[in-house]
Amino acid sequence: MTHMLKMTGVRKTYSTGVVQVDALRGINLDVLAGDYVAIMGPSGSGKSTLMHIIGCLDVPTAGTYELDGTDVSSMTEKELAEVRNQKIGFVFQAFNLLSSLSALRNVELPLVYAGTPAAERRERAMAALTKVGLADRVQHRPGELSGGQQQRVSVARALVTDPALILADEPTGNLDSHSTAEILDLFDELNAAGRTIVMITHEADVAAHATSPWHIYDGQLRDEPIGAGAAK
C-alpha cells in the first residue's frame, strides 16, 4: 500500500521569550492511500498545530514528514506553497469562499493559481461541482447558497486539483444537523471512491465516520476507539 502521509517523531516547539512550549511531542502517524482518518482533541491539545503541519502551513521543529512520497519537513515557504496547491485539497470550517465570485469561479481558483488554461479550468470546475451535487448552482454566489451548499462548493474546490490528500478542518462546525449529515455522507462517498481524507474535529459523532480514529492529548497521539477520550 502507498504511504500517503508519514510522520516520524514530529515535534513542534514555540518559543516566547525565554519560555518554550512543546505543542507536539513526538508524533508518529502513518496514513495509507485511501484511508479516512479523524483526529480528535480538546482545545490546547496540539490539534491545530498538527493540522498546520499536515497541511504544509508550517514545518516541524524536529522529526520528518513525508507527503505522497515527498519529504516536506524542511521545505521553504515557496516550496510548501507549491505542495499545498498540488497535493492537498483543503476544506475549512468557515468555507473561505470569495463572496463576489460565483460557485464556479470559486472552484476554479486553485487552477487559476496553477496556470491552468481557462477552458480546462471551467470543465474541471463543472465536473467537481457536479460531483458534489451542485450542477444547478454553479452561477450562484456564496450569499445565495445555504451553509451546506457553501461547504459543498468548498469540497468541490478541494477536489478540482485532484489532490493526493483532502484535509478537512472542523468541516461541519458551522452547519446545522441536516447539512452536517449531507457533508459527512459526501465524505463517505469520496472515501469509498478512493480519496484519502484526514479530518480534524472535536465531535465524536463526526469522527465516527472515519475508519481510523485518533485522539491527541498534550501533543501526543493515541489510537483509541471513538468516544474513549470523552471520559478522560
Side-chain angles (χ1 to χ4, degrees):
M1 294 291 289
T2 302
H3 294 270
M4 188 59 66
L5 184 165
K6 188 174 180 63
M7 289 185 166
T8 307
V10 166
R11 304 181 69 89
K12 186 64 182 182
T13 302
Y14 295 103
S15 297
T16 306
V18 296
V19 178
Q20 288 193 331
V21 177
D22 294 320
L24 299 179
R25 307 179 183 190
I27 297 290
N28 296 307
L29 179 62
D30 197 352
V31 177
L32 299 178
D35 278 355
Y36 186 175
V37 174
I39 298 173
M40 293 184 63
S43 178
S45 62
K47 186 168 79 255
S48 294
T49 300
L50 180 57
M51 189 277 291
H52 288 158
I53 291 178
I54 292 174
C56 295
L57 299 164
D58 201 353
V59 293
T61 303
T64 61
Y65 171 29
E66 295 180 13
L67 175 62
D68 195 23
T70 301
D71 188 344
V72 298
S73 309
S74 56
M75 283 187 171
T76 65
E77 178 53 41
K78 181 178 179 180
E79 290 170 333
L80 288 174
E82 292 176 356
V83 170
R84 287 195 299 269
N85 198 44
Q86 294 171 4
K87 293 184 178 290
I88 303 174
F90 291 92
V91 180
F92 296 103
Q93 177 177 350
F95 315 142
N96 289 11
L97 302 175
L98 296 183
S99 60
S100 62
L101 299 183
S102 67
L104 184 67
R105 294 294 302 278
N106 267 286
V107 174
E108 283 183 334
L109 281 177
L111 301 177
V112 173
Y113 300 143
T116 306
E120 182 182 348
R121 288 201 309 263
R122 182 180 179 86
E123 181 180 354
R124 289 171 63 176
M126 282 293 301
L129 284 163
T130 299
K131 185 174 293 186
V132 301
L134 289 179
D136 59 342
R137 295 287 189 273
V138 297
Q139 295 304 331
H140 287 63
R141 295 181 182 181
E144 300 169 324
L145 301 171
S146 68
Q149 289 171 334
Q150 289 183 63
Q151 192 61 295
R152 284 178 176 270
V153 175
S154 180
V155 173
R157 183 183 57 194
L159 291 171
V160 77
T161 58
D162 193 24
L165 173 69
I166 295 175
L167 179 58
D169 181 23
E170 301 283 2
T172 62
N174 283 342
L175 303 179
D176 59 28
S177 58
H178 177 72
S179 296
T180 291
E182 288 186 340
I183 292 300
L184 291 176
D185 285 347
L186 177 57
F187 280 135
D188 291 347
E189 292 168 11
L190 292 172
N191 179 244
R195 291 284 177 181
T196 307
I197 301 172
V198 174
M199 180 167 57
I200 312 295
T201 183
H202 68 277
E203 299 177 84
D205 56 342
V206 171
H209 281 252
T211 53
S212 299
W214 290 82
H215 290 77
I216 185 168
Y217 306 105
D218 300 325
Q220 295 180 310
L221 276 180
R222 302 177 189 173
D223 185 1
E224 300 176 345
I226 289 298
K232 294 184 180 291

PDB file of all heavy atoms in Angstrom, residues 5 36 57-58 63 82 87 89 107 109 114 124 134 143 157 216 221 223 225 227 230-231:
ATOM      1  N   LEU A   5       0.798   9.684   3.823  1.00  0.00           N
ATOM      2  CA  LEU A   5       1.261  10.643   4.827  1.00  0.00           C
ATOM      3  C   LEU A   5       2.008   9.848   5.887  1.00  0.00           C
ATOM      4  O   LEU A   5       1.468   8.891   6.436  1.00  0.00           O
ATOM      5  CB  LEU A   5       0.042  11.353   5.431  1.00  0.00           C
ATOM      6  CG  LEU A   5       0.178  12.478   6.450  1.00  0.00           C
ATOM      7  CD1 LEU A   5      -1.159  13.211   6.556  1.00  0.00           C
ATOM      8  CD2 LEU A   5       0.541  11.959   7.843  1.00  0.00           C
ATOM      9  N   TYR A  36      -9.287   6.954   5.738  1.00  0.00           N
ATOM     10  CA  TYR A  36     -10.149   8.042   6.214  1.00  0.00           C
ATOM     11  C   TYR A  36      -9.843   8.184   7.702  1.00  0.00           C
ATOM     12  O   TYR A  36     -10.294   7.381   8.518  1.00  0.00           O
ATOM     13  CB  TYR A  36     -11.608   7.690   5.965  1.00  0.00           C
ATOM     14  CG  TYR A  36     -12.631   8.774   6.261  1.00  0.00           C
ATOM     15  CD1 TYR A  36     -13.972   8.564   5.955  1.00  0.00           C
ATOM     16  CD2 TYR A  36     -12.280   9.999   6.828  1.00  0.00           C
ATOM     17  CE1 TYR A  36     -14.941   9.537   6.206  1.00  0.00           C
ATOM     18  CE2 TYR A  36     -13.228  10.975   7.079  1.00  0.00           C
ATOM     19  CZ  TYR A  36     -14.561  10.736   6.769  1.00  0.00           C
ATOM     20  OH  TYR A  36     -15.509  11.702   7.032  1.00  0.00           O
ATOM     21  N   LEU A  57       1.315  24.127   6.159  1.00  0.00           N
ATOM     22  CA  LEU A  57       1.231  25.530   6.541  1.00  0.00           C
ATOM     23  C   LEU A  57       2.329  25.880   7.538  1.00  0.00           C
ATOM     24  O   LEU A  57       2.554  27.051   7.842  1.00  0.00           O
ATOM     25  CB  LEU A  57      -0.141  25.829   7.160  1.00  0.00           C
ATOM     26  CG  LEU A  57      -1.333  25.595   6.236  1.00  0.00           C
ATOM     27  CD1 LEU A  57      -2.626  25.526   7.034  1.00  0.00           C
ATOM     28  CD2 LEU A  57      -1.414  26.690   5.182  1.00  0.00           C
ATOM     29  N   ASP A  58       3.023  24.858   8.038  1.00  0.00           N
ATOM     30  CA  ASP A  58       4.119  25.025   8.980  1.00  0.00           C
ATOM     31  C   ASP A  58       5.018  23.801   8.849  1.00  0.00           C
ATOM     32  O   ASP A  58       4.637  22.798   8.221  1.00  0.00           O
ATOM     33  CB  ASP A  58       3.568  25.152  10.414  1.00  0.00           C
ATOM     34  CG  ASP A  58       4.549  25.825  11.375  1.00  0.00           C
ATOM     35  OD1 ASP A  58       5.709  26.074  10.961  1.00  0.00           O
ATOM     36  OD2 ASP A  58       4.161  26.101  12.524  1.00  0.00           O
ATOM     37  N   GLY A  63      11.971  15.888  13.646  1.00  0.00           N
ATOM     38  CA  GLY A  63      11.247  14.772  13.053  1.00  0.00           C
ATOM     39  C   GLY A  63      11.067  14.947  11.560  1.00  0.00           C
ATOM     40  O   GLY A  63      11.487  15.955  10.975  1.00  0.00           O
ATOM     41  N   GLU A  82       3.790  25.392  -3.133  1.00  0.00           N
ATOM     42  CA  GLU A  82       3.610  24.554  -4.320  1.00  0.00           C
ATOM     43  C   GLU A  82       3.011  23.200  -3.943  1.00  0.00           C
ATOM     44  O   GLU A  82       2.121  22.685  -4.622  1.00  0.00           O
ATOM     45  CB  GLU A  82       4.951  24.365  -5.035  1.00  0.00           C
ATOM     46  CG  GLU A  82       5.479  25.645  -5.676  1.00  0.00           C
ATOM     47  CD  GLU A  82       6.845  25.461  -6.304  1.00  0.00           C
ATOM     48  OE1 GLU A  82       7.415  24.356  -6.171  1.00  0.00           O
ATOM     49  OE2 GLU A  82       7.350  26.414  -6.925  1.00  0.00           O
ATOM     50  N   LYS A  87      -0.908  19.033  -3.958  1.00  0.00           N
ATOM     51  CA  LYS A  87      -1.147  17.752  -3.303  1.00  0.00           C
ATOM     52  C   LYS A  87      -2.247  17.755  -2.246  1.00  0.00           C
ATOM     53  O   LYS A  87      -2.666  16.690  -1.799  1.00  0.00           O
ATOM     54  CB  LYS A  87       0.155  17.241  -2.654  1.00  0.00           C
ATOM     55  CG  LYS A  87       1.250  16.877  -3.653  1.00  0.00           C
ATOM     56  CD  LYS A  87       2.458  16.296  -2.960  1.00  0.00           C
ATOM     57  CE  LYS A  87       3.535  15.889  -3.963  1.00  0.00           C
ATOM     58  NZ  LYS A  87       3.130  14.710  -4.771  1.00  0.00           N
ATOM     59  N   GLY A  89      -6.078  19.211  -0.849  1.00  0.00           N
ATOM     60  CA  GLY A  89      -7.334  19.923  -1.015  1.00  0.00           C
ATOM     61  C   GLY A  89      -7.881  20.267   0.358  1.00  0.00           C
ATOM     62  O   GLY A  89      -8.129  19.375   1.170  1.00  0.00           O
ATOM     63  N   VAL A 107     -14.517  27.651  -7.373  1.00  0.00           N
ATOM     64  CA  VAL A 107     -13.908  26.331  -7.554  1.00  0.00           C
ATOM     65  C   VAL A 107     -12.737  26.390  -8.526  1.00  0.00           C
ATOM     66  O   VAL A 107     -11.765  25.636  -8.405  1.00  0.00           O
ATOM     67  CB  VAL A 107     -14.973  25.321  -8.022  1.00  0.00           C
ATOM     68  CG1 VAL A 107     -14.346  23.967  -8.370  1.00  0.00           C
ATOM     69  CG2 VAL A 107     -16.025  25.137  -6.933  1.00  0.00           C
ATOM     70  N   LEU A 109     -10.524  28.722  -8.730  1.00  0.00           N
ATOM     71  CA  LEU A 109      -9.384  29.491  -8.217  1.00  0.00           C
ATOM     72  C   LEU A 109      -8.078  28.702  -8.084  1.00  0.00           C
ATOM     73  O   LEU A 109      -7.018  29.192  -8.506  1.00  0.00           O
ATOM     74  CB  LEU A 109      -9.744  30.150  -6.886  1.00  0.00           C
ATOM     75  CG  LEU A 109     -10.578  31.425  -6.990  1.00  0.00           C
ATOM     76  CD1 LEU A 109     -10.936  31.940  -5.603  1.00  0.00           C
ATOM     77  CD2 LEU A 109      -9.822  32.500  -7.776  1.00  0.00           C
ATOM     78  N   ALA A 114      -2.583  27.741 -10.508  1.00  0.00           N
ATOM     79  CA  ALA A 114      -1.695  26.748 -11.126  1.00  0.00           C
ATOM     80  C   ALA A 114      -1.418  27.042 -12.591  1.00  0.00           C
ATOM     81  O   ALA A 114      -0.621  26.345 -13.227  1.00  0.00           O
ATOM     82  CB  ALA A 114      -2.310  25.359 -10.994  1.00  0.00           C
ATOM     83  N   ARG A 124     -13.152  21.367 -15.547  1.00  0.00           N
ATOM     84  CA  ARG A 124     -12.837  20.640 -14.311  1.00  0.00           C
ATOM     85  C   ARG A 124     -13.674  21.157 -13.148  1.00  0.00           C
ATOM     86  O   ARG A 124     -14.114  20.374 -12.287  1.00  0.00           O
ATOM     87  CB  ARG A 124     -11.336  20.741 -14.016  1.00  0.00           C
ATOM     88  CG  ARG A 124     -10.498  19.925 -14.990  1.00  0.00           C
ATOM     89  CD  ARG A 124      -9.018  20.176 -14.859  1.00  0.00           C
ATOM     90  NE  ARG A 124      -8.492  19.795 -13.560  1.00  0.00           N
ATOM     91  CZ  ARG A 124      -7.200  19.855 -13.247  1.00  0.00           C
ATOM     92  NH1 ARG A 124      -6.309  20.274 -14.158  1.00  0.00           N
ATOM     93  NH2 ARG A 124      -6.777  19.509 -12.050  1.00  0.00           N
ATOM     94  N   LEU A 134     -24.029  20.026  -7.131  1.00  0.00           N
ATOM     95  CA  LEU A 134     -24.373  21.445  -7.305  1.00  0.00           C
ATOM     96  C   LEU A 134     -24.328  21.890  -8.761  1.00  0.00           C
ATOM     97  O   LEU A 134     -24.073  23.065  -9.043  1.00  0.00           O
ATOM     98  CB  LEU A 134     -23.436  22.329  -6.473  1.00  0.00           C
ATOM     99  CG  LEU A 134     -23.626  22.286  -4.953  1.00  0.00           C
ATOM    100  CD1 LEU A 134     -22.613  23.201  -4.273  1.00  0.00           C
ATOM    101  CD2 LEU A 134     -25.042  22.699  -4.562  1.00  0.00           C
ATOM    102  N   GLY A 143     -23.466  34.005  -1.001  1.00  0.00           N
ATOM    103  CA  GLY A 143     -24.582  34.569  -0.260  1.00  0.00           C
ATOM    104  C   GLY A 143     -25.938  34.060  -0.716  1.00  0.00           C
ATOM    105  O   GLY A 143     -26.944  34.242  -0.016  1.00  0.00           O
ATOM    106  N   ARG A 157     -14.017  22.695  -4.569  1.00  0.00           N
ATOM    107  CA  ARG A 157     -12.748  23.423  -4.759  1.00  0.00           C
ATOM    108  C   ARG A 157     -11.566  22.557  -4.319  1.00  0.00           C
ATOM    109  O   ARG A 157     -10.497  22.575  -4.929  1.00  0.00           O
ATOM    110  CB  ARG A 157     -12.788  24.734  -3.965  1.00  0.00           C
ATOM    111  CG  ARG A 157     -11.551  25.613  -4.132  1.00  0.00           C
ATOM    112  CD  ARG A 157     -11.651  26.835  -3.248  1.00  0.00           C
ATOM    113  NE  ARG A 157     -11.832  26.451  -1.848  1.00  0.00           N
ATOM    114  CZ  ARG A 157     -12.208  27.295  -0.891  1.00  0.00           C
ATOM    115  NH1 ARG A 157     -12.462  28.560  -1.177  1.00  0.00           N
ATOM    116  NH2 ARG A 157     -12.353  26.868   0.350  1.00  0.00           N
ATOM    117  N   ILE A 216      -5.677  13.218  20.215  1.00  0.00           N
ATOM    118  CA  ILE A 216      -4.454  13.909  20.577  1.00  0.00           C
ATOM    119  C   ILE A 216      -4.639  14.572  21.935  1.00  0.00           C
ATOM    120  O   ILE A 216      -5.640  15.244  22.181  1.00  0.00           O
ATOM    121  CB  ILE A 216      -4.031  14.933  19.488  1.00  0.00           C
ATOM    122  CG1 ILE A 216      -2.684  15.557  19.845  1.00  0.00           C
ATOM    123  CG2 ILE A 216      -5.102  15.995  19.231  1.00  0.00           C
ATOM    124  CD1 ILE A 216      -2.051  16.340  18.700  1.00  0.00           C
ATOM    125  N   LEU A 221      -0.288  11.624  20.128  1.00  0.00           N
ATOM    126  CA  LEU A 221      -1.396  10.892  19.514  1.00  0.00           C
ATOM    127  C   LEU A 221      -1.628   9.555  20.208  1.00  0.00           C
ATOM    128  O   LEU A 221      -0.681   8.866  20.592  1.00  0.00           O
ATOM    129  CB  LEU A 221      -1.110  10.622  18.036  1.00  0.00           C
ATOM    130  CG  LEU A 221      -1.430  11.708  17.017  1.00  0.00           C
ATOM    131  CD1 LEU A 221      -1.072  11.220  15.625  1.00  0.00           C
ATOM    132  CD2 LEU A 221      -2.875  12.152  17.071  1.00  0.00           C
ATOM    133  N   ASP A 223      -4.165   6.042  19.565  1.00  0.00           N
ATOM    134  CA  ASP A 223      -5.125   5.316  18.722  1.00  0.00           C
ATOM    135  C   ASP A 223      -6.149   4.687  19.650  1.00  0.00           C
ATOM    136  O   ASP A 223      -5.868   3.699  20.327  1.00  0.00           O
ATOM    137  CB  ASP A 223      -4.388   4.242  17.928  1.00  0.00           C
ATOM    138  CG  ASP A 223      -5.298   3.532  16.938  1.00  0.00           C
ATOM    139  OD1 ASP A 223      -6.479   3.891  16.872  1.00  0.00           O
ATOM    140  OD2 ASP A 223      -4.819   2.631  16.245  1.00  0.00           O
ATOM    141  N   PRO A 225     -10.641   3.922  20.453  1.00  0.00           N
ATOM    142  CA  PRO A 225     -11.989   3.908  19.894  1.00  0.00           C
ATOM    143  C   PRO A 225     -12.646   5.278  20.039  1.00  0.00           C
ATOM    144  O   PRO A 225     -12.363   6.001  20.988  1.00  0.00           O
ATOM    145  CB  PRO A 225     -12.722   2.856  20.730  1.00  0.00           C
ATOM    146  CG  PRO A 225     -11.642   2.038  21.347  1.00  0.00           C
ATOM    147  CD  PRO A 225     -10.480   2.960  21.539  1.00  0.00           C
ATOM    148  N   GLY A 227     -14.927   8.053  21.185  1.00  0.00           N
ATOM    149  CA  GLY A 227     -15.618   8.232  22.458  1.00  0.00           C
ATOM    150  C   GLY A 227     -14.744   7.912  23.654  1.00  0.00           C
ATOM    151  O   GLY A 227     -15.077   8.258  24.777  1.00  0.00           O
ATOM    152  N   ALA A 230     -13.689  10.880  25.830  1.00  0.00           N
ATOM    153  CA  ALA A 230     -14.692  11.705  26.491  1.00  0.00           C
ATOM    154  C   ALA A 230     -14.662  11.578  27.999  1.00  0.00           C
ATOM    155  O   ALA A 230     -14.976  12.518  28.728  1.00  0.00           O
ATOM    156  CB  ALA A 230     -16.083  11.303  25.975  1.00  0.00           C
ATOM    157  N   ALA A 231     -14.248  10.415  28.487  1.00  0.00           N
ATOM    158  CA  ALA A 231     -14.263  10.195  29.926  1.00  0.00           C
ATOM    159  C   ALA A 231     -12.972  10.611  30.582  1.00  0.00           C
ATOM    160  O   ALA A 231     -12.840  10.543  31.797  1.00  0.00           O
ATOM    161  CB  ALA A 231     -14.528   8.708  30.202  1.00  0.00           C
TER     162      ALA A 231
END
